[in-house]
């Protein structure tokens, strides 16, 4: 292994060490120490990638790639996991959780760099298995139900994925993405199965069933990992498949577009009548997966940039909303949010701004993400998809608007504890990012453009 | 830099108001000071302005890779609308002094941010920046209605948000399509106006833009959000909605339709005039049947904005001048009426015309103010509304006399609803008992300012027309 290859893989090594260290520390040290070791691992791994900005991609062989999206995916997974680690403490201070959280980050990082079906499968399995444990952590009825649903469906999705890979291999004889192609029936069927397997992890309709349950029952930090970290890694893999593999066309692009369109419409529709904040976020995350899938399906030149941009804007909003949801205790409903502004101004502002961003209204970053989305679709003259996006976002205004005004009206009694300093810091970072991305998006645009540049 | 300051000033003023709120009336004074500073700055910009149409024009890159830049420019029309925004901002604070007692910080912040976003709309010549501010103004306005409104305020606010945000997609899609047709990626209206597009393409693009503008103008059949939003909003919200937000639709149509799509506008002009005439008749007739005073005024807004649409669609000099004057005139009269009805409602807790009356005996100041603005509502000569409507109708006569007659008939309808309002509130037996307190000076002087404005424009319209002339000239599409 050359030095360049080692440098490219070092973030994964650091993460693995951090996961093991956090596990070993469980019987020996206090929770804070365990968390600190996990946090240090995540921060160092992100820093190791950031230090290599501008370095040429290391030749990595077939298994792993070291291109821009992979680096972006690793940094993204580490930073968002770090955010999730901050509010992992609120709610359930279980000592094994930090280690599982780092494992999710490893899975996401592996997935983001996957250039081969083996790494892809490995990444997905590391991700899913750690997530199952995190979902079930509270051992409540709903938690177990969510974990069980995820376990069964994840197993199904993994089998579909494997069978799909096998069928494609049977016809093309290649196991690297670039070698995939061909027009035979086996490849077409394999592609459909591969898409179904990925769509499960990406919570696209009709493979979305686990998402709202997980958001409702799991601790908010686990929901963040499922809804943001794992999703972004899968998005990057799908993007890489779209860019490098020549999968049979009608199945791949139109299949992705169909799944994406269905997710946008159905996710938003199901979110409409949700009175519960985490469940609403669960359905809205299905819709956001749909938007991202539509961007990739468009196949237009700026699609790659648009995906990364969308992910970067989506992350602080989801993180902020879930952090507030965690702070308010188990599954806050709409009436629980009333009068939040009087009791907890920071949380109220963070929640409203996050939802504003998810709704795609300006001054928040979501508006620019929506612009990017519309631009990509209009570039490709995909007017049907534009119509679907317009219909979906219009439905979105209904439920987001209900939630983002709730903190400013009425009054409810509340005896939950005030937020720790660190969580407040996280919320302030989220607010700042949402506003910066919304008001001065040029910086982030340059970053994603540089990331996608060959 | 001054133009950016005009937008930033209320945006920052809103933040300050949000954070200083608490004891005393600090947030109110901060808000008033912000708007007053804006007016000073605006006068400075206009006074030191360069020769020619634009007083000031700047361009800074925003997202270079998308071809989006902060293209701001100010001419007489923009300056007038911004002055209106700041003035109505101050008036809104005055009008809500005793009405708004909860979450006062957020209220004044929303007020400032609504004004900041509308100022952005009046200054932007980059289509995406325009769309940015266009949608940005919806959020604070939504908050104003949803948090401090009456009755089913959330439903009304949601309706307002959905209608306008969805219509905004038309604006966005057409902007992207336009930029895609340009030889290099740009959203600058100045550059896009140079493109030679075929008439059918122009018509399609115009329809995309018009979707947003028509909904904001609330021309039937795009008006369904307006009656509830106006009726259920707090007084300050109604003032801003009628005086400012509706005007952004008229402004967008006035500014961009002739600039970007002259041939397209000429092709659809007859339909635009017809739609306007139908809307004016519809709004007027429905207004006649209302018993809720605020709802009545809300429907007259639909009628008057339809007259503005007729003027812009006609595209001749008289009609455009009339439309521009009518925009200002309607801001004065509708805002003043909303303020008066709000003040009356605070005292009597009713807006039902059947339960009110006899103000001329119990509260003469109220009665005088209502008399003045009801005359403005029916466009009595001497008021600004007369100048606006008369010019529009004269302009339409040059294009098509049938539509002109239709437009004239709306004046008859306006007499009915204006007198009905007047009769229900001012004349008759004093109701309710015991007699109510007359207006305080804080309520009265905004009325005085708007009344003087109405009369000045009505008696000496040249003062306003001279300011607007360059923008009107630029918007001409027909020159009979």
């Amino acid at each position: 292994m050359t030095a360049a290859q080692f440098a490219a893989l070092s973030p994964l090594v650091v993460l693995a060490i951090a996961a093991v260290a956090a596990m070993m520390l469980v019987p020996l040290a206090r929770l804070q120490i365990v968390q600190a070791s996990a946090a240090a691992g995540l921060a160092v791994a992100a820093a190791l990638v950031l230090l290599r900005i501008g370095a040429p991609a290391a030749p990595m062989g077939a298994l792993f790639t070291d291109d821009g999206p992979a680096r972006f995916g690793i940094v993204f997974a580490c930073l968002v996991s770090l955010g999730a680690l901050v509010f992992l403490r609120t709610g359930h201070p279980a000592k094994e959780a930090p280690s599982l959280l780092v494992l999710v980050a490893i899975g996401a990082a592996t997935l983001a760099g996957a250039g081969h079906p083996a790494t892809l499968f490995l990444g997905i399995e590391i991700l899913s298995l750690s997530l199952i444990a995190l979902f079930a952590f509270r051992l409540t009825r709903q938690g177990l139900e969510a974990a069980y649903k995820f376990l069964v469906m994840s197993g199904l999705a993994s089998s579909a994925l494997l069978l799909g890979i096998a069928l494609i291999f049977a016809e093309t004889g290649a196991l690297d993405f670039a070698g995939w192609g061909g027009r035979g029936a086996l490849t077409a069927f394999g592609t459909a199965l591969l898409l179904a397997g990925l769509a499960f992890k990406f919570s696209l309709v009709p493979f979305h069933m686990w998402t709202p349950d997980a958001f409702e029952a799991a601790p908010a930090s686990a929901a963040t990992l499922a809804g943001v970290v794992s999703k972004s890694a899968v998005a990057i893999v799908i993007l890489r498949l779209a860019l490098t593999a020549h999968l049979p066309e009608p199945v791949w692009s139109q299949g992705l577009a169909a799944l994406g369109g269905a997710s946008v419409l159905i996710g938003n529709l199901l979110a409409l009548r949700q009175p519960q904040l985490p469940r609403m976020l669960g359905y809205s995350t299905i819709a956001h997966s749909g938007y991202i899938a539509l961007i990739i399906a468009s196949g237009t030149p700026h699609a790659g940039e648009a995906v990364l941009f969308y992910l970067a804007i989506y992350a602080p909003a989801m993180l902020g909303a879930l952090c507030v949801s965690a702070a308010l205790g188990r599954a806050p409903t709409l009436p629980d949010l009333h009068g939040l502004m009087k009791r907890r101004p920071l949380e109220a502002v963070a929640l409203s701004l996050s939802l504003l961003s998810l709704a795609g209204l300006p001054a928040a970053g979501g508006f620019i993400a929506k612009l990017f989305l519309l631009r990509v679709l209009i570039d490709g003259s995909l007017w049907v998809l534009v119509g679907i996006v317009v219909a979906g976002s219009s439905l979105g205004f209904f439920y987001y608007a209900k939630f983002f005004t709730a903190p400013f009206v009425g009054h409810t009694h509340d005896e939950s504890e005030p937020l720790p300093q660190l969580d407040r810091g996280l919320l302030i970072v989220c607010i700042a990012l949402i506003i910066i991305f919304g008001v001065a998006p040029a910086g982030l645009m340059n970053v994603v453009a540089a990331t996608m540049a060959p | 830099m001054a133009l950016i300051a005009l937008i930033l000033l209320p945006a920052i003023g809103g933040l300050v108001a949000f954070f200083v709120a608490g004891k005393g009336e600090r947030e109110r004074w901060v808000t008033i000071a912000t708007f007053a500073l804006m007016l000073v700055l605006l006068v400075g910009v206009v006074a030191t302005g360069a020769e020619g149409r634009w007083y000031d024009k700047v361009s800074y890159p925003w997202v270079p890779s998308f071809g989006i830049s902060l293209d701001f420019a100010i001419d007489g029309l923009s300056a007038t609308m911004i002055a209106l925004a700041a003035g109505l901002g101050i008036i809104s604070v005055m009008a809500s002094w005793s009405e708004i007692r909860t979450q006062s910080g957020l209220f004044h912040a929303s007020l400032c941010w609504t004004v900041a976003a509308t100022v952005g709309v009046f200054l932007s010549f980059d289509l995406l920046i325009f769309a940015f501010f266009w949608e940005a103004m919806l959020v604070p306005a939504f908050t104003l209605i949803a948090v401090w409104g009456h009755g089913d305020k959330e439903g009304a606010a949601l309706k307002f948000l959905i209608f306008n945000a969805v219509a905004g997609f038309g604006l966005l899609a057409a902007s992207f399509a336009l930029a895609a047709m340009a030889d290099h990626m740009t959203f600058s209206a100045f550059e896009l106006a140079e493109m030679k597009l075929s008439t059918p393409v122009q018509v399609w693009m115009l329809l995309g833009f018009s979707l947003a503008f028509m909904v904001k103008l609330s021309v039937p059949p795009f008006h369904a959000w307006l009656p509830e939003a106006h009726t259920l909003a707090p007084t300050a919200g109604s003032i801003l909605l009628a005086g400012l937000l509706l005007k952004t639709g008229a402004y967008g149509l006035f500014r961009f339709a002739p600039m970007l799509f002259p041939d397209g506008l000429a092709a659809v002009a007859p339909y635009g005039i017809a739609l306007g005439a139908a809307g004016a008749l519809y709004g007027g007739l429905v207004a006649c049947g209302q018993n809720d005073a605020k709802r009545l005024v809300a429907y007259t807004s639909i009628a008057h904005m339809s007259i503005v649409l007729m003027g812009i669609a006609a595209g001749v000099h008289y009609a455009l001048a009339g439309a521009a004057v009518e925009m200002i005139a309607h801001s004065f009269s509708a805002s003043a009426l909303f303020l008066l009805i709000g003040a009356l409602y605070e005292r009597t807790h009713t807006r039902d015309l059947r339960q009110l009356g006899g103000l001329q005996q119990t509260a003469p100041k109220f009665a005088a103010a209502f008399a003045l603005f009801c005359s403005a509502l029916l466009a009595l000569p001497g008021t600004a509304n007369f100048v606006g409507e008369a010019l529009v109708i004269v302009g339409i006569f040059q294009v098509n006399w049938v539509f002109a007659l239709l437009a004239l008939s709306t004046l008859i309808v306006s007499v009915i609803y204006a007198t009905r309002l007047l009769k229900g509130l001012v004349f008759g037996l004093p109701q309710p008992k015991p007699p109510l307190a007359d207006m305080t000076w804080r309520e009265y002087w905004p009325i005085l300012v708007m009344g003087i404005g109405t009369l000045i424009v009505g008696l000496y319209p040249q003062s306003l027309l001279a300011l607007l002339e360059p923008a009107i000239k630029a918007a001409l599409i027909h020159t009979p």
Side-chain angles (χ1 to χ4, degrees), chain B residues 33-118:
Chain B
T34 305
F35 293 138
L37 261 178
M38 264 177 74
L39 283 175
V40 172
L41 188 62
L42 182 69
V43 169
V45 169
V46 172
T48 62
E51 292 291 306
R53 180 177 168 197
W54 307 104
Y55 298 122
D56 198 358
K57 209 170 163 183
V58 292
S59 179
Y60 303 96
W62 193 53
V63 184
S65 58
F66 259 44
I68 311 175
S69 47
L70 300 171
D71 276 334
F72 294 133
I74 183 169
D75 65 353
L77 180 62
S78 314
T80 316
M81 298 315 286
I82 294 169
L84 199 63
L88 287 176
I90 297 179
I91 289 169
S92 300
V93 178
M94 303 302 249
S96 58
W97 205 284
S98 50
E99 187 189 0
I100 302 300
R101 282 289 142 198
T102 55
Q103 309 253 26
S104 180
L106 184 72
F107 178 85
H108 289 88
S110 301
L111 216 60
C112 285
W113 292 334
T114 310
V115 169
T118 44

Side-chain angles (χ1 to χ4, degrees), chain B residues 275-343:
Chain B
L275 188 65
L281 271 177
Y282 167 84
L285 288 174
V286 178
C288 292
Q290 300 301 319
N291 285 320
D292 182 328
K294 213 171 170 185
R295 221 175 154 80
L296 190 153
V297 179
Y299 274 105
T300 67
S301 286
I302 296 176
H304 289 126
M305 287 295 107
S306 300
I307 290 176
V308 172
L309 169 68
M310 288 169 88
I312 298 171
V316 291
H317 193 270
Y318 279 113
L320 283 166
V325 173
E326 178 74 12
M327 276 158 74
I328 316 285
H330 174 260
S331 285
F332 285 145
S333 58
S335 303
L337 282 169
F338 279 128
L339 195 155
L340 285 169
I341 294 168

Side-chain angles (χ1 to χ4, degrees), chain A residues 341 362 375 405 408 439 442 445, chain B residues 18 62 66 103 106 132 136 142:
Chain A
M341 186 62 204
R375 181 203 171 174
T405 40
F408 302 104
V439 176
M445 289 232 179
Chain B
F18 184 74
W62 193 53
F66 259 44
Q103 309 253 26
L106 184 72
F132 178 93
F142 168 87

